[in-house]
mmCIF file of all heavy atoms in Angstrom:
data_model
loop_
_atom_site.group_PDB
_atom_site.id
_atom_site.type_symbol
_atom_site.label_atom_id
_atom_site.label_comp_id
_atom_site.label_asym_id
_atom_site.label_seq_id
_atom_site.Cartn_x
_atom_site.Cartn_y
_atom_site.Cartn_z
ATOM 1 N N GLN A 370 39.288 31.613 -24.364
ATOM 2 C CA GLN A 370 38.396 30.814 -23.473
ATOM 3 C C GLN A 370 37.398 29.999 -24.313
ATOM 4 O O GLN A 370 37.193 28.813 -24.041
ATOM 5 C CB GLN A 370 37.685 31.751 -22.487
ATOM 6 C CG GLN A 370 36.778 31.046 -21.489
ATOM 7 C CD GLN A 370 35.943 32.002 -20.715
ATOM 8 O OE1 GLN A 370 35.268 32.871 -21.260
ATOM 9 N NE2 GLN A 370 35.952 31.868 -19.385
ATOM 10 N N GLU A 371 36.787 30.632 -25.255
ATOM 11 C CA GLU A 371 35.766 29.974 -26.054
ATOM 12 C C GLU A 371 36.349 28.787 -26.836
ATOM 13 O O GLU A 371 35.752 27.726 -26.845
ATOM 14 C CB GLU A 371 35.126 30.963 -27.052
ATOM 15 C CG GLU A 371 33.981 30.402 -27.825
ATOM 16 C CD GLU A 371 33.335 31.446 -28.719
ATOM 17 O OE1 GLU A 371 34.005 31.959 -29.634
ATOM 18 O OE2 GLU A 371 32.153 31.743 -28.502
ATOM 19 N N ASP A 372 37.506 28.958 -27.441
ATOM 20 C CA ASP A 372 38.105 27.863 -28.192
ATOM 21 C C ASP A 372 38.472 26.706 -27.269
ATOM 22 O O ASP A 372 38.228 25.512 -27.606
ATOM 23 C CB ASP A 372 39.381 28.355 -28.901
ATOM 24 C CG ASP A 372 39.057 29.199 -30.138
ATOM 25 O OD1 ASP A 372 37.913 29.160 -30.588
ATOM 26 O OD2 ASP A 372 39.945 29.928 -30.596
ATOM 27 N N ASP A 373 39.032 27.016 -26.106
ATOM 28 C CA ASP A 373 39.462 25.965 -25.180
ATOM 29 C C ASP A 373 38.254 25.182 -24.639
ATOM 30 O O ASP A 373 38.259 23.924 -24.647
ATOM 31 C CB ASP A 373 40.222 26.580 -24.034
ATOM 32 C CG ASP A 373 40.943 25.521 -23.169
ATOM 33 O OD1 ASP A 373 41.246 24.442 -23.699
ATOM 34 O OD2 ASP A 373 41.154 25.814 -21.980
ATOM 35 N N LEU A 374 37.221 25.879 -24.181
ATOM 36 C CA LEU A 374 36.049 25.187 -23.638
ATOM 37 C C LEU A 374 35.258 24.440 -24.696
ATOM 38 O O LEU A 374 34.677 23.400 -24.446
ATOM 39 C CB LEU A 374 35.158 26.200 -22.921
ATOM 40 C CG LEU A 374 35.787 26.875 -21.708
ATOM 41 C CD1 LEU A 374 34.771 27.794 -21.018
ATOM 42 C CD2 LEU A 374 36.341 25.882 -20.712
ATOM 43 N N SER A 375 35.311 24.963 -25.937
ATOM 44 C CA SER A 375 34.615 24.264 -27.051
ATOM 45 C C SER A 375 35.288 22.929 -27.310
ATOM 46 O O SER A 375 34.608 21.916 -27.532
ATOM 47 C CB SER A 375 34.629 25.145 -28.291
ATOM 48 O OG SER A 375 34.028 24.475 -29.380
ATOM 49 N N GLU A 376 36.613 22.920 -27.275
ATOM 50 C CA GLU A 376 37.338 21.664 -27.512
ATOM 51 C C GLU A 376 37.138 20.687 -26.364
ATOM 52 O O GLU A 376 36.989 19.481 -26.582
ATOM 53 C CB GLU A 376 38.825 21.960 -27.675
ATOM 54 C CG GLU A 376 39.179 22.699 -28.962
ATOM 55 C CD GLU A 376 40.650 23.075 -29.057
ATOM 56 O OE1 GLU A 376 41.436 22.502 -28.241
ATOM 57 O OE2 GLU A 376 41.014 23.882 -29.907
ATOM 58 N N ARG A 377 37.179 21.187 -25.139
ATOM 59 C CA ARG A 377 37.108 20.293 -23.984
ATOM 60 C C ARG A 377 35.727 19.724 -23.700
ATOM 61 O O ARG A 377 35.591 18.567 -23.349
ATOM 62 C CB ARG A 377 37.615 21.057 -22.744
ATOM 63 C CG ARG A 377 39.108 21.062 -22.595
ATOM 64 C CD ARG A 377 39.476 21.356 -21.170
ATOM 65 N NE ARG A 377 39.782 22.770 -20.948
ATOM 66 C CZ ARG A 377 40.010 23.313 -19.771
ATOM 67 N NH1 ARG A 377 39.885 22.583 -18.685
ATOM 68 N NH2 ARG A 377 40.286 24.583 -19.675
ATOM 69 N N TYR A 378 34.703 20.592 -23.886
ATOM 70 C CA TYR A 378 33.383 20.195 -23.470
ATOM 71 C C TYR A 378 32.356 20.210 -24.609
ATOM 72 O O TYR A 378 31.162 20.034 -24.363
ATOM 73 C CB TYR A 378 32.874 21.112 -22.350
ATOM 74 C CG TYR A 378 33.808 21.194 -21.195
ATOM 75 C CD1 TYR A 378 34.382 22.419 -20.850
ATOM 76 C CD2 TYR A 378 34.121 20.068 -20.418
ATOM 77 C CE1 TYR A 378 35.292 22.494 -19.768
ATOM 78 C CE2 TYR A 378 34.998 20.145 -19.343
ATOM 79 C CZ TYR A 378 35.579 21.345 -19.016
ATOM 80 O OH TYR A 378 36.459 21.452 -17.966
ATOM 81 N N ASP A 379 32.835 20.369 -25.814
ATOM 82 C CA ASP A 379 31.976 20.415 -27.003
ATOM 83 C C ASP A 379 30.887 21.499 -26.862
ATOM 84 O O ASP A 379 29.717 21.311 -27.207
ATOM 85 C CB ASP A 379 31.299 19.032 -27.193
ATOM 86 C CG ASP A 379 30.705 18.922 -28.590
ATOM 87 O OD1 ASP A 379 31.210 19.582 -29.544
ATOM 88 O OD2 ASP A 379 29.740 18.166 -28.769
ATOM 89 N N VAL A 380 31.276 22.642 -26.326
ATOM 90 C CA VAL A 380 30.390 23.777 -26.177
ATOM 91 C C VAL A 380 30.321 24.513 -27.522
ATOM 92 O O VAL A 380 31.364 24.824 -28.091
ATOM 93 C CB VAL A 380 30.893 24.736 -25.066
ATOM 94 C CG1 VAL A 380 29.990 25.970 -24.962
ATOM 95 C CG2 VAL A 380 30.972 24.022 -23.715
ATOM 96 N N PRO A 381 29.122 24.801 -28.023
ATOM 97 C CA PRO A 381 29.053 25.493 -29.328
ATOM 98 C C PRO A 381 29.594 26.885 -29.226
ATOM 99 O O PRO A 381 29.414 27.597 -28.241
ATOM 100 C CB PRO A 381 27.532 25.510 -29.622
ATOM 101 C CG PRO A 381 26.897 25.329 -28.287
ATOM 102 C CD PRO A 381 27.816 24.484 -27.482
ATOM 103 N N LYS A 382 30.257 27.320 -30.276
ATOM 104 C CA LYS A 382 30.813 28.671 -30.327
ATOM 105 C C LYS A 382 29.753 29.650 -30.744
ATOM 106 O O LYS A 382 28.774 29.301 -31.412
ATOM 107 C CB LYS A 382 32.002 28.734 -31.300
ATOM 108 C CG LYS A 382 33.177 27.889 -30.885
ATOM 109 C CD LYS A 382 34.343 28.082 -31.846
ATOM 110 C CE LYS A 382 35.515 27.202 -31.499
ATOM 111 N NZ LYS A 382 36.672 27.417 -32.454
ATOM 112 N N ALA A 383 29.960 30.928 -30.389
ATOM 113 C CA ALA A 383 29.001 31.961 -30.725
ATOM 114 C C ALA A 383 28.994 32.235 -32.212
ATOM 115 O O ALA A 383 30.025 32.156 -32.873
ATOM 116 C CB ALA A 383 29.334 33.243 -29.968
ATOM 117 N N ASN A 384 27.825 32.519 -32.728
ATOM 118 C CA ASN A 384 27.693 32.952 -34.139
ATOM 119 C C ASN A 384 28.029 34.430 -34.224
ATOM 120 O O ASN A 384 27.371 35.287 -33.597
ATOM 121 C CB ASN A 384 26.249 32.703 -34.570
ATOM 122 C CG ASN A 384 26.032 33.044 -36.053
ATOM 123 O OD1 ASN A 384 26.536 34.059 -36.555
ATOM 124 N ND2 ASN A 384 25.272 32.221 -36.724
ATOM 125 N N LYS A 385 29.084 34.763 -34.940
ATOM 126 C CA LYS A 385 29.563 36.152 -34.973
ATOM 127 C C LYS A 385 29.256 36.902 -36.271
ATOM 128 O O LYS A 385 29.471 38.118 -36.311
ATOM 129 C CB LYS A 385 31.081 36.195 -34.715
ATOM 130 C CG LYS A 385 31.457 35.659 -33.350
ATOM 131 C CD LYS A 385 32.963 35.711 -33.141
ATOM 132 C CE LYS A 385 33.327 35.161 -31.788
ATOM 133 N NZ LYS A 385 34.800 35.173 -31.581
ATOM 134 N N ASP A 386 28.727 36.213 -37.290
ATOM 135 C CA ASP A 386 28.451 36.922 -38.525
ATOM 136 C C ASP A 386 26.976 37.048 -38.845
ATOM 137 O O ASP A 386 26.600 37.625 -39.834
ATOM 138 C CB ASP A 386 29.196 36.270 -39.695
ATOM 139 C CG ASP A 386 28.724 34.852 -39.960
ATOM 140 O OD1 ASP A 386 27.760 34.391 -39.329
ATOM 141 O OD2 ASP A 386 29.389 34.177 -40.788
ATOM 142 N N GLY A 387 26.120 36.478 -37.970
ATOM 143 C CA GLY A 387 24.656 36.634 -38.190
ATOM 144 C C GLY A 387 24.089 35.667 -39.212
ATOM 145 O O GLY A 387 22.880 35.758 -39.502
ATOM 146 N N SER A 388 24.862 34.787 -39.748
ATOM 147 C CA SER A 388 24.351 33.872 -40.786
ATOM 148 C C SER A 388 23.364 32.890 -40.182
ATOM 149 O O SER A 388 23.541 32.418 -39.081
ATOM 150 C CB SER A 388 25.491 33.099 -41.439
ATOM 151 O OG SER A 388 26.201 32.324 -40.479
ATOM 152 N N GLY A 389 22.295 32.641 -40.909
ATOM 153 C CA GLY A 389 21.298 31.653 -40.482
ATOM 154 C C GLY A 389 20.352 32.153 -39.412
ATOM 155 O O GLY A 389 19.546 31.382 -38.886
ATOM 156 N N ILE A 390 20.441 33.422 -39.072
ATOM 157 C CA ILE A 390 19.549 33.989 -38.050
ATOM 158 C C ILE A 390 18.268 34.457 -38.721
ATOM 159 O O ILE A 390 18.243 35.269 -39.631
ATOM 160 C CB ILE A 390 20.204 35.182 -37.325
ATOM 161 C CG1 ILE A 390 21.552 34.721 -36.708
ATOM 162 C CG2 ILE A 390 19.307 35.732 -36.282
ATOM 163 C CD1 ILE A 390 21.407 33.624 -35.653
ATOM 164 N N ALA A 391 17.124 33.934 -38.255
ATOM 165 C CA ALA A 391 15.852 34.292 -38.828
ATOM 166 C C ALA A 391 15.137 35.391 -38.092
ATOM 167 O O ALA A 391 14.474 36.246 -38.671
ATOM 168 C CB ALA A 391 14.948 33.049 -38.870
ATOM 169 N N ASN A 392 15.289 35.397 -36.742
ATOM 170 C CA ASN A 392 14.542 36.392 -35.952
ATOM 171 C C ASN A 392 15.195 36.440 -34.582
ATOM 172 O O ASN A 392 15.941 35.562 -34.150
ATOM 173 C CB ASN A 392 13.082 36.001 -35.829
ATOM 174 C CG ASN A 392 12.194 37.095 -35.266
ATOM 175 O OD1 ASN A 392 12.669 38.236 -35.171
ATOM 176 N ND2 ASN A 392 10.981 36.785 -34.889
ATOM 177 N N TYR A 393 14.827 37.498 -33.822
ATOM 178 C CA TYR A 393 15.302 37.612 -32.459
ATOM 179 C C TYR A 393 14.086 37.440 -31.547
ATOM 180 O O TYR A 393 13.065 38.077 -31.707
ATOM 181 C CB TYR A 393 15.946 39.005 -32.198
ATOM 182 C CG TYR A 393 16.177 39.247 -30.709
ATOM 183 C CD1 TYR A 393 17.286 38.687 -30.073
ATOM 184 C CD2 TYR A 393 15.332 40.045 -29.975
ATOM 185 C CE1 TYR A 393 17.501 38.867 -28.758
ATOM 186 C CE2 TYR A 393 15.527 40.251 -28.608
ATOM 187 C CZ TYR A 393 16.632 39.655 -28.011
ATOM 188 O OH TYR A 393 16.863 39.876 -26.671
#
Side-chain angles (χ1 to χ4, degrees):
Q370 181 189 51
E371 185 176 63
D372 285 344
D373 191 27
L374 296 183
S375 178
E376 291 176 13
R377 276 201 264 171
Y378 306 117
D379 197 27
V380 177
K382 296 184 182 181
N384 183 319
K385 296 181 181 179
D386 63 8
S388 60
I390 303 298
N392 191 14
Y393 169 78

